[in-house]
Amino acid sequence: MEHGDAHITVVDEEGNEQLCEVLFTFEAEQFGKSYVLYYPVGAEEDENEEIEIMASSFIPGEEGEQGELKPIETDEEWDMIEEMLNTFLAEDEDEEEEE
């Protein structure tokens, strides 16, 4: 996992691999971590026209190596991620309205 990657492969607890599309990445100085928001490739919208978006912190890989996804550890991190996602979605809507 690196900043700027378009896709990542996520491995679940059972060892199953799933290709996911990266929505966006960002760094949070207050937690000293990088974060990625992503969703499964081919995910379908639910009845509310929403797609489940997942989030993880990540440690970027060193030259040529894969980075490592980590679980979100605190409610404060989740609150900050939710705020970033809401801002991202609001900006995305603004861009669509301008077109």
Side-chain angles (χ1 to χ4, degrees):
M1 176 72 233
E2 296 294 326
H3 287 284
D5 283 355
H7 294 92
I8 57 174
T9 301
V10 178
V11 181
D12 66 17
E13 301 85 26
E14 294 150 16
N16 300 316
E17 293 186 356
Q18 183 169 34
L19 183 63
C20 293
E21 188 160 337
V22 173
L23 190 59
F24 68 95
T25 62
F26 66 97
E27 292 185 38
E29 290 180 16
Q30 69 200 65
F31 297 108
K33 296 181 181 179
S34 295
Y35 295 90
V36 58
L37 280 78
Y38 56 95
Y39 58 92
V41 168
E44 303 214 359
E45 295 175 344
D46 64 15
E47 63 275 357
N48 298 322
E49 296 184 3
E50 295 180 354
I51 292 176
E52 181 182 8
I53 297 172
M54 296 170 273
S56 298
S57 63
F58 72 94
I59 300 167
E62 308 233 346
E63 291 183 37
E65 293 182 14
Q66 290 288 343
E68 184 177 354
L69 295 177
K70 298 282 192 179
I72 307 301
E73 298 173 333
T74 66
D75 288 341
E76 291 80 12
E77 284 179 280
W78 279 116
D79 291 344
M80 182 257 324
I81 289 167
E82 189 172 322
E83 190 174 311
M84 291 293 293
L85 177 59
N86 290 337
T87 300
F88 175 84
L89 294 175
E91 289 174 358
D92 193 44
E93 282 180 15
D94 289 345
E95 288 177 12
E96 286 179 11
E97 289 174 5
E98 290 176 9
E99 292 178 2

